[in-house]
Amino acid sequence: MPEGDTVWNTARVLHRALAGARITGSDFRVPQLATTDLTGWTVRESASRGKHLLLRLDTPTGEHWSLHSHLRMDGAWRAYAPGERWSGRSAHLIRVVLRSPGAVAVGYHLHELTLVPTADEDHLVGHLGPDLLGPDWDPDEAVRRLAEHPEQTIGEALLDQRNLAGVGNLYKCEVLFLRGVSPWTPVGGVPDLPGLVALAQRLLAANRGRWTQSSTGSLHRGQTSYVYGRRAQPCRRCGTAIRKEELGERVTYWCPVCQPERPAPPPAG
Ligand SMILES: [Zn+2]
């Protein structure tokens, strides 16, 4: 599941494959960019912002542009050596191919593929809250944004990228389990919001640099999560059957015993 750590890893793969390279051929397979040709452009860098990817390029005349993409649930970028077989996904999922002398980058099932002047990146990612894996990560600002909507459920608030950028459904479920907080708890009723935010950041950071996402510390198949994807299986702490229900637009997993629901505190004064 592409969450902040996966997107961070992907940005690093693209950076290693393409940074400094001149594009020798591009092939966009989306209508909005069908006539775009990046041949002769140079890749400056690849960066992630929450779950958004930004491939920054210079035109031959030195203008700065950014190729933006979003992986959502199923997108991926792969880098191949020239001549290597493209083994990542089915060919019909390819949305863009970028060729350079040293590597070929292939984007599969990408969403929101857009090319904008780098100066306009904010139109695409300016609404995002602090990036959990960004160089400018600001936990106080993330807590402040979350606390602005005390009546919202914490399960929905953690997925709202305007509060903090990078948490997806997996880490949301896992962080709430680890903190013993029901996903239905209103933000205002969460006992230690800064502690919860700090744990979310640590979990994502710990999973940087590898593709297997784990919140338990185990990388063995079937043992990487406490609650996510474990409906009806016994809680690893108390043995109660893990539950799965819809919450907002997403499903959520939780242990009803380890994560009791807490009411919101009465309004102050
Ligand atoms: Zn439990």
mmCIF file of all heavy atoms in Angstrom, residues 206-243:
data_model
loop_
_atom_site.group_PDB
_atom_site.id
_atom_site.type_symbol
_atom_site.label_atom_id
_atom_site.label_comp_id
_atom_site.label_asym_id
_atom_site.label_seq_id
_atom_site.Cartn_x
_atom_site.Cartn_y
_atom_site.Cartn_z
ATOM 1 N N ALA A 206 10.855 4.492 10.270
ATOM 2 C CA ALA A 206 11.473 3.184 10.453
ATOM 3 C C ALA A 206 11.308 2.306 9.223
ATOM 4 O O ALA A 206 12.087 1.379 8.997
ATOM 5 C CB ALA A 206 10.865 2.480 11.671
ATOM 6 N N ASN A 207 10.273 2.590 8.426
ATOM 7 C CA ASN A 207 10.021 1.768 7.244
ATOM 8 C C ASN A 207 10.631 2.342 5.972
ATOM 9 O O ASN A 207 10.484 1.754 4.896
ATOM 10 C CB ASN A 207 8.509 1.561 7.070
ATOM 11 C CG ASN A 207 7.997 0.471 7.992
ATOM 12 O OD1 ASN A 207 8.233 -0.698 7.768
ATOM 13 N ND2 ASN A 207 7.326 0.865 9.073
ATOM 14 N N ARG A 208 11.301 3.483 6.085
ATOM 15 C CA ARG A 208 12.008 4.035 4.929
ATOM 16 C C ARG A 208 13.107 3.076 4.492
ATOM 17 O O ARG A 208 13.730 2.429 5.320
ATOM 18 C CB ARG A 208 12.688 5.359 5.325
ATOM 19 C CG ARG A 208 11.927 6.574 4.982
ATOM 20 C CD ARG A 208 12.755 7.796 5.253
ATOM 21 N NE ARG A 208 13.331 7.799 6.598
ATOM 22 C CZ ARG A 208 13.621 8.899 7.277
ATOM 23 N NH1 ARG A 208 13.400 10.075 6.739
ATOM 24 N NH2 ARG A 208 14.135 8.847 8.472
ATOM 25 N N GLY A 209 13.353 3.030 3.201
ATOM 26 C CA GLY A 209 14.504 2.272 2.729
ATOM 27 C C GLY A 209 14.238 0.796 2.523
ATOM 28 O O GLY A 209 15.137 0.052 2.150
ATOM 29 N N ARG A 210 13.018 0.331 2.803
ATOM 30 C CA ARG A 210 12.661 -1.053 2.470
ATOM 31 C C ARG A 210 11.216 -1.055 1.979
ATOM 32 O O ARG A 210 10.475 -0.107 2.217
ATOM 33 C CB ARG A 210 12.825 -1.960 3.682
ATOM 34 C CG ARG A 210 11.905 -1.599 4.836
ATOM 35 C CD ARG A 210 11.918 -2.693 5.905
ATOM 36 N NE ARG A 210 10.904 -2.411 6.922
ATOM 37 C CZ ARG A 210 11.166 -2.275 8.215
ATOM 38 N NH1 ARG A 210 12.394 -2.386 8.665
ATOM 39 N NH2 ARG A 210 10.190 -2.036 9.072
ATOM 40 N N TRP A 211 10.821 -2.132 1.291
ATOM 41 C CA TRP A 211 9.499 -2.142 0.663
ATOM 42 C C TRP A 211 8.485 -2.908 1.491
ATOM 43 O O TRP A 211 7.286 -2.793 1.266
ATOM 44 C CB TRP A 211 9.587 -2.718 -0.755
ATOM 45 C CG TRP A 211 10.457 -1.876 -1.630
ATOM 46 C CD1 TRP A 211 11.772 -2.118 -1.949
ATOM 47 C CD2 TRP A 211 10.120 -0.629 -2.264
ATOM 48 N NE1 TRP A 211 12.260 -1.116 -2.752
ATOM 49 C CE2 TRP A 211 11.272 -0.193 -2.965
ATOM 50 C CE3 TRP A 211 8.967 0.146 -2.322
ATOM 51 C CZ2 TRP A 211 11.306 0.990 -3.707
ATOM 52 C CZ3 TRP A 211 9.003 1.323 -3.058
ATOM 53 C CH2 TRP A 211 10.159 1.731 -3.733
ATOM 54 N N THR A 212 8.947 -3.728 2.440
ATOM 55 C CA THR A 212 8.007 -4.420 3.320
ATOM 56 C C THR A 212 7.658 -3.482 4.467
ATOM 57 O O THR A 212 8.547 -3.032 5.185
ATOM 58 C CB THR A 212 8.635 -5.711 3.882
ATOM 59 O OG1 THR A 212 9.004 -6.542 2.795
ATOM 60 C CG2 THR A 212 7.655 -6.449 4.779
ATOM 61 N N GLN A 213 6.369 -3.182 4.607
ATOM 62 C CA GLN A 213 5.961 -2.262 5.661
ATOM 63 C C GLN A 213 5.608 -3.054 6.908
ATOM 64 O O GLN A 213 4.790 -3.968 6.859
ATOM 65 C CB GLN A 213 4.741 -1.460 5.194
ATOM 66 C CG GLN A 213 5.059 -0.574 4.000
ATOM 67 C CD GLN A 213 3.817 0.011 3.368
ATOM 68 O OE1 GLN A 213 2.884 -0.710 3.032
ATOM 69 N NE2 GLN A 213 3.805 1.316 3.189
ATOM 70 N N SER A 214 6.224 -2.700 8.015
ATOM 71 C CA SER A 214 5.968 -3.419 9.259
ATOM 72 C C SER A 214 5.798 -2.449 10.417
ATOM 73 O O SER A 214 6.543 -1.485 10.547
ATOM 74 C CB SER A 214 7.129 -4.370 9.580
ATOM 75 O OG SER A 214 6.920 -4.949 10.858
ATOM 76 N N SER A 215 4.807 -2.744 11.265
ATOM 77 C CA SER A 215 4.649 -1.959 12.482
ATOM 78 C C SER A 215 4.960 -2.809 13.698
ATOM 79 O O SER A 215 5.000 -2.313 14.816
ATOM 80 C CB SER A 215 3.218 -1.422 12.577
ATOM 81 O OG SER A 215 2.319 -2.503 12.462
ATOM 82 N N THR A 216 5.151 -4.111 13.482
ATOM 83 C CA THR A 216 5.391 -5.016 14.604
ATOM 84 C C THR A 216 6.882 -5.247 14.833
ATOM 85 O O THR A 216 7.274 -5.805 15.852
ATOM 86 C CB THR A 216 4.757 -6.398 14.322
ATOM 87 O OG1 THR A 216 5.339 -6.914 13.115
ATOM 88 C CG2 THR A 216 3.255 -6.294 14.166
ATOM 89 N N GLY A 217 7.685 -4.862 13.849
ATOM 90 C CA GLY A 217 9.115 -5.160 13.930
ATOM 91 C C GLY A 217 9.464 -6.420 13.162
ATOM 92 O O GLY A 217 10.620 -6.669 12.856
ATOM 93 N N SER A 218 8.444 -7.237 12.835
ATOM 94 C CA SER A 218 8.693 -8.464 12.076
ATOM 95 C C SER A 218 8.494 -8.208 10.587
ATOM 96 O O SER A 218 7.573 -7.498 10.197
ATOM 97 C CB SER A 218 7.728 -9.568 12.520
ATOM 98 O OG SER A 218 7.829 -10.674 11.634
ATOM 99 N N LEU A 219 9.375 -8.783 9.783
ATOM 100 C CA LEU A 219 9.222 -8.666 8.336
ATOM 101 C C LEU A 219 8.687 -9.963 7.737
ATOM 102 O O LEU A 219 8.625 -10.120 6.527
ATOM 103 C CB LEU A 219 10.567 -8.302 7.694
ATOM 104 C CG LEU A 219 11.156 -6.951 8.129
ATOM 105 C CD1 LEU A 219 12.503 -6.704 7.458
ATOM 106 C CD2 LEU A 219 10.189 -5.798 7.801
ATOM 107 N N HIS A 220 8.273 -10.911 8.612
ATOM 108 C CA HIS A 220 7.727 -12.170 8.105
ATOM 109 C C HIS A 220 6.297 -11.980 7.613
ATOM 110 O O HIS A 220 5.499 -11.297 8.257
ATOM 111 C CB HIS A 220 7.745 -13.244 9.203
ATOM 112 C CG HIS A 220 9.129 -13.637 9.616
ATOM 113 N ND1 HIS A 220 9.950 -14.370 8.800
ATOM 114 C CD2 HIS A 220 9.836 -13.352 10.734
ATOM 115 C CE1 HIS A 220 11.115 -14.546 9.409
ATOM 116 N NE2 HIS A 220 11.074 -13.934 10.580
ATOM 117 N N ARG A 221 5.998 -12.611 6.483
ATOM 118 C CA ARG A 221 4.665 -12.516 5.904
ATOM 119 C C ARG A 221 3.609 -12.925 6.945
ATOM 120 O O ARG A 221 3.767 -13.925 7.636
ATOM 121 C CB ARG A 221 4.585 -13.453 4.689
ATOM 122 C CG ARG A 221 3.265 -13.440 3.981
ATOM 123 C CD ARG A 221 3.273 -14.458 2.864
ATOM 124 N NE ARG A 221 4.022 -13.990 1.698
ATOM 125 C CZ ARG A 221 3.464 -13.306 0.690
ATOM 126 N NH1 ARG A 221 2.184 -13.021 0.701
ATOM 127 N NH2 ARG A 221 4.194 -12.918 -0.333
ATOM 128 N N GLY A 222 2.570 -12.105 7.063
ATOM 129 C CA GLY A 222 1.494 -12.420 8.004
ATOM 130 C C GLY A 222 1.769 -11.912 9.414
ATOM 131 O O GLY A 222 0.932 -12.056 10.293
ATOM 132 N N GLN A 223 2.951 -11.337 9.642
ATOM 133 C CA GLN A 223 3.278 -10.877 10.998
ATOM 134 C C GLN A 223 3.662 -9.407 11.038
ATOM 135 O O GLN A 223 4.203 -8.940 12.035
ATOM 136 C CB GLN A 223 4.433 -11.722 11.557
ATOM 137 C CG GLN A 223 4.045 -13.168 11.754
ATOM 138 C CD GLN A 223 5.237 -14.027 12.175
ATOM 139 O OE1 GLN A 223 6.198 -13.527 12.754
ATOM 140 N NE2 GLN A 223 5.168 -15.307 11.880
ATOM 141 N N THR A 224 3.397 -8.687 9.949
ATOM 142 C CA THR A 224 3.906 -7.317 9.853
ATOM 143 C C THR A 224 2.963 -6.277 10.443
ATOM 144 O O THR A 224 3.336 -5.116 10.551
ATOM 145 C CB THR A 224 4.187 -6.952 8.387
ATOM 146 O OG1 THR A 224 2.990 -7.186 7.639
ATOM 147 C CG2 THR A 224 5.319 -7.782 7.810
ATOM 148 N N SER A 225 1.717 -6.692 10.785
ATOM 149 C CA SER A 225 0.786 -5.698 11.336
ATOM 150 C C SER A 225 0.078 -6.249 12.566
ATOM 151 O O SER A 225 -0.035 -7.465 12.750
ATOM 152 C CB SER A 225 -0.258 -5.295 10.284
ATOM 153 O OG SER A 225 -1.162 -6.366 10.067
ATOM 154 N N TYR A 226 -0.390 -5.323 13.412
ATOM 155 C CA TYR A 226 -1.191 -5.712 14.577
ATOM 156 C C TYR A 226 -2.653 -5.902 14.206
ATOM 157 O O TYR A 226 -3.289 -6.865 14.610
ATOM 158 C CB TYR A 226 -1.065 -4.653 15.669
ATOM 159 C CG TYR A 226 0.269 -4.674 16.367
ATOM 160 C CD1 TYR A 226 1.229 -3.713 16.093
ATOM 161 C CD2 TYR A 226 0.560 -5.671 17.294
ATOM 162 C CE1 TYR A 226 2.452 -3.741 16.734
ATOM 163 C CE2 TYR A 226 1.785 -5.702 17.943
ATOM 164 C CZ TYR A 226 2.733 -4.736 17.660
ATOM 165 O OH TYR A 226 3.945 -4.770 18.287
ATOM 166 N N VAL A 227 -3.200 -4.958 13.451
ATOM 167 C CA VAL A 227 -4.641 -5.030 13.145
ATOM 168 C C VAL A 227 -4.923 -4.925 11.642
ATOM 169 O O VAL A 227 -5.866 -5.552 11.147
ATOM 170 C CB VAL A 227 -5.433 -3.926 13.895
ATOM 171 C CG1 VAL A 227 -5.440 -4.210 15.390
ATOM 172 C CG2 VAL A 227 -4.890 -2.526 13.609
ATOM 173 N N TYR A 228 -4.127 -4.158 10.909
ATOM 174 C CA TYR A 228 -4.431 -3.913 9.497
ATOM 175 C C TYR A 228 -4.460 -5.226 8.708
ATOM 176 O O TYR A 228 -3.533 -6.029 8.791
ATOM 177 C CB TYR A 228 -3.404 -2.972 8.861
ATOM 178 C CG TYR A 228 -3.768 -2.623 7.442
ATOM 179 C CD1 TYR A 228 -4.703 -1.628 7.170
ATOM 180 C CD2 TYR A 228 -3.227 -3.325 6.371
ATOM 181 C CE1 TYR A 228 -5.073 -1.324 5.870
ATOM 182 C CE2 TYR A 228 -3.589 -3.032 5.065
ATOM 183 C CZ TYR A 228 -4.520 -2.036 4.825
ATOM 184 O OH TYR A 228 -4.890 -1.759 3.534
ATOM 185 N N GLY A 229 -5.559 -5.457 7.995
ATOM 186 C CA GLY A 229 -5.691 -6.658 7.168
ATOM 187 C C GLY A 229 -5.928 -7.931 7.967
ATOM 188 O O GLY A 229 -5.836 -9.025 7.431
ATOM 189 N N ARG A 230 -6.268 -7.797 9.267
ATOM 190 C CA ARG A 230 -6.381 -8.988 10.132
ATOM 191 C C ARG A 230 -7.797 -9.206 10.661
ATOM 192 O O ARG A 230 -7.987 -9.723 11.753
ATOM 193 C CB ARG A 230 -5.385 -8.876 11.296
ATOM 194 C CG ARG A 230 -3.911 -8.810 10.841
ATOM 195 C CD ARG A 230 -2.960 -9.008 11.998
ATOM 196 N NE ARG A 230 -3.080 -10.339 12.570
ATOM 197 C CZ ARG A 230 -3.463 -10.605 13.810
ATOM 198 N NH1 ARG A 230 -3.763 -9.613 14.636
ATOM 199 N NH2 ARG A 230 -3.557 -11.840 14.231
ATOM 200 N N ARG A 231 -8.812 -8.868 9.886
ATOM 201 C CA ARG A 231 -10.198 -9.008 10.341
ATOM 202 C C ARG A 231 -10.465 -10.434 10.832
ATOM 203 O O ARG A 231 -10.095 -11.397 10.166
ATOM 204 C CB ARG A 231 -11.166 -8.697 9.200
ATOM 205 C CG ARG A 231 -12.628 -8.806 9.600
ATOM 206 C CD ARG A 231 -13.497 -8.170 8.559
ATOM 207 N NE ARG A 231 -13.556 -8.978 7.354
ATOM 208 C CZ ARG A 231 -14.566 -9.766 7.022
ATOM 209 N NH1 ARG A 231 -15.614 -9.858 7.809
ATOM 210 N NH2 ARG A 231 -14.535 -10.453 5.910
ATOM 211 N N ALA A 232 -11.086 -10.532 11.998
ATOM 212 C CA ALA A 232 -11.504 -11.791 12.613
ATOM 213 C C ALA A 232 -10.335 -12.625 13.156
ATOM 214 O O ALA A 232 -10.545 -13.660 13.768
ATOM 215 C CB ALA A 232 -12.348 -12.633 11.657
ATOM 216 N N GLN A 233 -9.110 -12.170 12.935
ATOM 217 C CA GLN A 233 -7.966 -12.876 13.532
ATOM 218 C C GLN A 233 -7.766 -12.373 14.962
ATOM 219 O O GLN A 233 -8.152 -11.268 15.299
ATOM 220 C CB GLN A 233 -6.705 -12.646 12.699
ATOM 221 C CG GLN A 233 -6.789 -13.253 11.291
ATOM 222 C CD GLN A 233 -5.525 -13.013 10.496
ATOM 223 O OE1 GLN A 233 -4.430 -13.267 10.967
ATOM 224 N NE2 GLN A 233 -5.681 -12.499 9.282
ATOM 225 N N PRO A 234 -7.150 -13.206 15.825
ATOM 226 C CA PRO A 234 -7.009 -12.799 17.230
ATOM 227 C C PRO A 234 -6.017 -11.647 17.390
ATOM 228 O O PRO A 234 -4.962 -11.629 16.758
ATOM 229 C CB PRO A 234 -6.492 -14.063 17.922
ATOM 230 C CG PRO A 234 -5.923 -14.906 16.838
ATOM 231 C CD PRO A 234 -6.664 -14.576 15.575
ATOM 232 N N CYS A 235 -6.394 -10.694 18.238
ATOM 233 C CA CYS A 235 -5.502 -9.590 18.592
ATOM 234 C C CYS A 235 -4.204 -10.163 19.137
ATOM 235 O O CYS A 235 -4.217 -11.100 19.939
ATOM 236 C CB CYS A 235 -6.186 -8.711 19.644
ATOM 237 S SG CYS A 235 -5.112 -7.432 20.328
ATOM 238 N N ARG A 236 -3.087 -9.592 18.721
ATOM 239 C CA ARG A 236 -1.793 -10.116 19.171
ATOM 240 C C ARG A 236 -1.557 -9.830 20.656
ATOM 241 O O ARG A 236 -0.658 -10.404 21.270
ATOM 242 C CB ARG A 236 -0.652 -9.510 18.350
ATOM 243 C CG ARG A 236 -0.726 -9.852 16.863
ATOM 244 C CD ARG A 236 0.545 -9.447 16.134
ATOM 245 N NE ARG A 236 0.360 -9.431 14.679
ATOM 246 C CZ ARG A 236 0.371 -10.517 13.912
ATOM 247 N NH1 ARG A 236 0.536 -11.700 14.465
ATOM 248 N NH2 ARG A 236 0.202 -10.417 12.598
ATOM 249 N N ARG A 237 -2.355 -8.924 21.233
ATOM 250 C CA ARG A 237 -2.169 -8.616 22.659
ATOM 251 C C ARG A 237 -3.178 -9.349 23.529
ATOM 252 O O ARG A 237 -2.823 -9.882 24.559
ATOM 253 C CB ARG A 237 -2.307 -7.120 22.892
ATOM 254 C CG ARG A 237 -1.040 -6.383 22.569
ATOM 255 C CD ARG A 237 -1.043 -4.992 23.143
ATOM 256 N NE ARG A 237 0.196 -4.309 22.737
ATOM 257 C CZ ARG A 237 0.285 -3.022 22.515
ATOM 258 N NH1 ARG A 237 -0.781 -2.245 22.677
ATOM 259 N NH2 ARG A 237 1.422 -2.490 22.153
ATOM 260 N N CYS A 238 -4.486 -9.320 23.125
ATOM 261 C CA CYS A 238 -5.518 -9.821 24.041
ATOM 262 C C CYS A 238 -6.315 -10.986 23.474
ATOM 263 O O CYS A 238 -7.151 -11.551 24.170
ATOM 264 C CB CYS A 238 -6.462 -8.680 24.428
ATOM 265 S SG CYS A 238 -7.585 -8.212 23.102
ATOM 266 N N GLY A 239 -6.108 -11.332 22.214
ATOM 267 C CA GLY A 239 -6.796 -12.490 21.652
ATOM 268 C C GLY A 239 -8.184 -12.209 21.092
ATOM 269 O O GLY A 239 -8.770 -13.065 20.433
ATOM 270 N N THR A 240 -8.731 -11.029 21.361
ATOM 271 C CA THR A 240 -10.045 -10.661 20.820
ATOM 272 C C THR A 240 -9.985 -10.588 19.291
ATOM 273 O O THR A 240 -8.967 -10.208 18.727
ATOM 274 C CB THR A 240 -10.457 -9.272 21.368
ATOM 275 O OG1 THR A 240 -10.410 -9.322 22.796
ATOM 276 C CG2 THR A 240 -11.849 -8.873 20.913
ATOM 277 N N ALA A 241 -11.104 -10.951 18.647
ATOM 278 C CA ALA A 241 -11.132 -10.905 17.181
ATOM 279 C C ALA A 241 -11.017 -9.461 16.699
ATOM 280 O O ALA A 241 -11.753 -8.578 17.157
ATOM 281 C CB ALA A 241 -12.424 -11.531 16.671
ATOM 282 N N ILE A 242 -10.096 -9.217 15.783
ATOM 283 C CA ILE A 242 -9.922 -7.885 15.191
ATOM 284 C C ILE A 242 -11.154 -7.569 14.354
ATOM 285 O O ILE A 242 -11.677 -8.426 13.648
ATOM 286 C CB ILE A 242 -8.649 -7.839 14.314
ATOM 287 C CG1 ILE A 242 -7.417 -8.122 15.156
ATOM 288 C CG2 ILE A 242 -8.528 -6.495 13.588
ATOM 289 C CD1 ILE A 242 -7.181 -7.158 16.294
ATOM 290 N N ARG A 243 -11.615 -6.329 14.437
ATOM 291 C CA ARG A 243 -12.809 -5.926 13.687
ATOM 292 C C ARG A 243 -12.443 -5.042 12.512
ATOM 293 O O ARG A 243 -11.388 -4.403 12.492
ATOM 294 C CB ARG A 243 -13.777 -5.211 14.625
ATOM 295 C CG ARG A 243 -14.340 -6.189 15.649
ATOM 296 C CD ARG A 243 -15.208 -5.509 16.657
ATOM 297 N NE ARG A 243 -16.423 -4.959 16.049
ATOM 298 C CZ ARG A 243 -17.363 -4.320 16.747
ATOM 299 N NH1 ARG A 243 -17.222 -4.171 18.049
ATOM 300 N NH2 ARG A 243 -18.433 -3.837 16.143
#
